[in-house]
Amino acid sequence: MLAYSTYSEAGGVGKTTIAANLAVAHARAGLKPLVVPLDPQDGDLSRLFGVDTHRTEPVDNLVRHMIRRPKGDFDDLIHRVEGLDIVPEHNMLSDLAEYLQREKDQAEAMGEAFGIHAQLLRVLREAGVPDKYDVLICDPPATEGPHLYNAIHATRSLVIPIEPSAKGRAAVQGLESLVAGLQDQLNVDVGVLAAIPIGFKDTRDQRTILDEIQYSIPEIIGERASLMEGCWMRQCSAFRYIREFRDRRRDYELETLAQFDRMARYLEQSVGLDAPNPPEPGDLDHGVVSA
């Protein structure tokens, strides 16, 4: 199974839209992706896909499963949208650290072990996710804490959206020390599958910054603020937005879709995963055939 978390220390670099469109690109190729967003803020992946209508209600949710207080089966948490499965975020994620610490204290009082950063992995394994799905994508917030640590413990790999600027350069430099610290803290190996520059305008400074990045860069995405804003307004992926809501198809936006398709193939190939029905990159008329 291909498993990765989209993460960047710098906020506002398109992390969530990258996760959403890569997930759809995997699904377009006939693979079965599960998306697990972990961001407690409102501008999250559940909002982008329009599946966050129950986040304030006292319903079963991922946090309850992580603290061993589920109200139902894990499969009942899943929503299906644009060919992929997603576990919607819930407002209980805002207090995840407190919930996990409380459960840890209770477990230790009973002489039991409870790894705060291993609970998402436990939930996914108990639900049979590695056997049911081809791809797992986690989208944690851009801050250190149990959301990020659980995501990385579950996936062991990162895809890093990067702003090609001085701010982005600092974030990449900080990420290297963060990955080393996570490996020590979680006692797991953490790899970086790819870095994805976003908002590239081909300036000399930007080219210099990209030359300094030590990670693999399969694609470089240009300035696409209008396209991404449209996705948020219509609550859908870029694939659906261009297909259903754009009045005309712009070549540079179709090329962006092709880039998402090519990035998905690159990530799949990094773990030897063969997509059964890969589209011609950017082909909006390609039908999804489930694996």
Side-chain angles (χ1 to χ4, degrees):
M1 182 176 70
L2 169 63
Y4 58 89
S5 296
T6 51
Y7 177 72
S8 173
E9 280 192 319
V13 298
K15 175 179 65 66
T16 296
T17 51
I18 286 288
N21 286 292
L22 284 176
V24 172
H26 292 305
R28 277 165 46 84
L31 295 172
K32 190 173 183 181
L34 175 67
V35 180
V36 182
L38 294 162
D39 197 332
Q41 306 212 14
D42 284 341
D44 51 36
L45 198 52
S46 298
R47 174 65 56 86
L48 178 59
F49 277 126
V51 294
D52 66 339
T53 54
H54 301 297
R55 68 177 302 146
T56 63
E57 299 176 8
V59 297
D60 196 19
N61 64 83
L62 181 61
V63 174
R64 296 193 64 90
H65 286 249
M66 291 175 68
I67 60 173
R68 304 188 293 195
R69 301 289 190 280
K71 289 185 175 181
D73 293 335
F74 178 83
D75 287 349
D76 294 334
L77 302 179
I78 294 171
H79 290 234
R80 189 158 184 81
V81 58
E82 294 196 45
L84 58 89
D85 286 355
I86 181 172
V87 179
E89 284 132 318
H90 190 273
N91 278 1
M92 283 182 68
L93 280 167
S94 298
D95 299 314
L96 179 62
E98 179 182 339
Y99 286 123
L100 290 172
Q101 186 60 53
R102 188 181 305 161
E103 186 64 21
K104 177 180 173 64
D105 293 342
Q106 293 179 354
E108 290 180 345
M110 299 294 292
E112 302 173 355
F114 184 85
I116 285 179
H117 301 145
Q119 293 311 303
L120 177 59
L121 178 62
R122 173 189 60 79
V123 169
L124 297 176
R125 284 179 172 173
E126 290 179 354
V129 165
D131 296 323
K132 295 177 182 177
Y133 291 91
D134 304 304
V135 181
L136 169 66
I137 302 175
C138 292
D139 185 40
T143 53
E144 293 188 49
H147 309 78
L148 173 63
Y149 299 152
N150 270 276
I152 292 180
H153 204 159
T155 61
R156 314 294 172 95
S157 297
L158 298 173
V159 170
I160 313 167
I162 295 174
E163 179 184 341
S165 65
K167 175 184 175 183
R169 172 194 281 165
V172 172
Q173 293 171 344
L175 182 68
E176 294 173 355
S177 59
L178 173 65
V179 169
L182 288 170
Q183 291 183 144
D184 293 339
Q185 182 172 350
L186 301 178
N187 196 29
V188 297
D189 291 329
V190 181
V192 177
L193 296 179
I196 304 173
I198 305 174
F200 185 68
K201 298 179 181 178
D202 201 20
T203 67
R204 183 174 62 181
D205 287 343
Q206 288 184 328
R207 290 193 297 271
T208 298
I209 291 170
L210 295 193
D211 288 341
E212 296 173 352
I213 296 174
Q214 300 299 311
Y215 305 118
S216 174
I217 301 177
E219 297 286 339
I220 299 173
I221 299 177
E223 178 59 54
R224 297 293 181 265
S226 174
L227 173 59
M228 298 311 170
E229 181 61 28
C231 294
W232 284 101
M233 290 182 64
R234 293 292 187 173
Q235 295 186 298
C236 63
S237 71
F239 293 94
R240 184 183 172 205
Y241 179 70
I242 292 175
R243 184 173 57 247
E244 297 183 13
F245 301 111
R246 275 299 199 205
D247 56 354
R248 61 185 176 87
R249 296 183 178 181
R250 299 161 173 86
D251 289 342
Y252 64 89
E253 290 186 343
L254 292 175
E255 172 56 22
T256 301
L257 301 186
Q259 289 183 295
F260 284 123
D261 280 330
R262 291 194 296 264
M263 282 188 285
R265 300 297 84 75
Y266 174 86
L267 295 171
E268 292 154 12
Q269 292 165 11
S270 72
V271 297
L273 179 61
D274 292 324
N277 186 33
E280 184 70 23
D283 179 9
L284 283 175
D285 298 321
H286 179 81
V288 175
V289 179
S290 300

Coordinates of all heavy atoms in Angstrom, one line a residue, residues 13 90 95 105 119 141 289:
V13 N 0.3 26.9 1.8 CA 1.1 26.6 0.6 C 0.3 25.6 -0.3 O 0.9 25.1 -1.3 CB 2.5 26.0 1.0 CG1 3.3 27.0 1.8 CG2 2.3 24.7 1.8
H90 N -13.8 16.0 12.6 CA -14.9 16.4 13.6 C -14.2 17.4 14.6 O -13.0 17.4 14.8 CB -15.3 15.1 14.3 CG -16.5 15.3 15.2 ND1 -16.4 15.8 16.5 CD2 -17.8 15.2 15.0 CE1 -17.6 15.9 17.1 NE2 -18.5 15.5 16.2
D95 N -9.4 19.0 20.5 CA -9.0 18.6 21.9 C -8.3 17.2 21.8 O -8.3 16.5 22.8 CB -10.1 18.6 22.8 CG -10.8 20.0 23.0 OD1 -10.0 20.9 23.1 OD2 -12.0 20.0 22.9
D105 N -3.5 8.2 30.7 CA -3.4 8.2 32.1 C -4.3 7.0 32.7 O -3.9 6.3 33.6 CB -3.9 9.5 32.7 CG -2.9 10.6 32.4 OD1 -1.8 10.4 32.0 OD2 -3.4 11.8 32.5
Q119 N -2.1 5.7 17.9 CA -3.5 5.3 17.9 C -4.2 5.3 16.5 O -5.0 4.5 16.3 CB -4.3 6.2 18.9 CG -3.8 5.9 20.3 CD -3.8 4.5 20.7 OE1 -4.9 3.8 20.6 NE2 -2.7 4.0 21.2
P141 N -2.5 19.0 10.3 CA -2.2 20.4 10.3 C -0.7 20.8 10.3 O 0.1 19.9 10.5 CB -2.8 20.9 11.7 CG -2.8 19.7 12.6 CD -3.0 18.5 11.6
V289 N -12.4 3.4 -13.2 CA -12.7 2.0 -13.1 C -12.1 1.5 -11.8 O -10.9 1.5 -11.7 CB -12.2 1.2 -14.3 CG1 -12.5 -0.3 -14.1 CG2 -12.8 1.7 -15.6

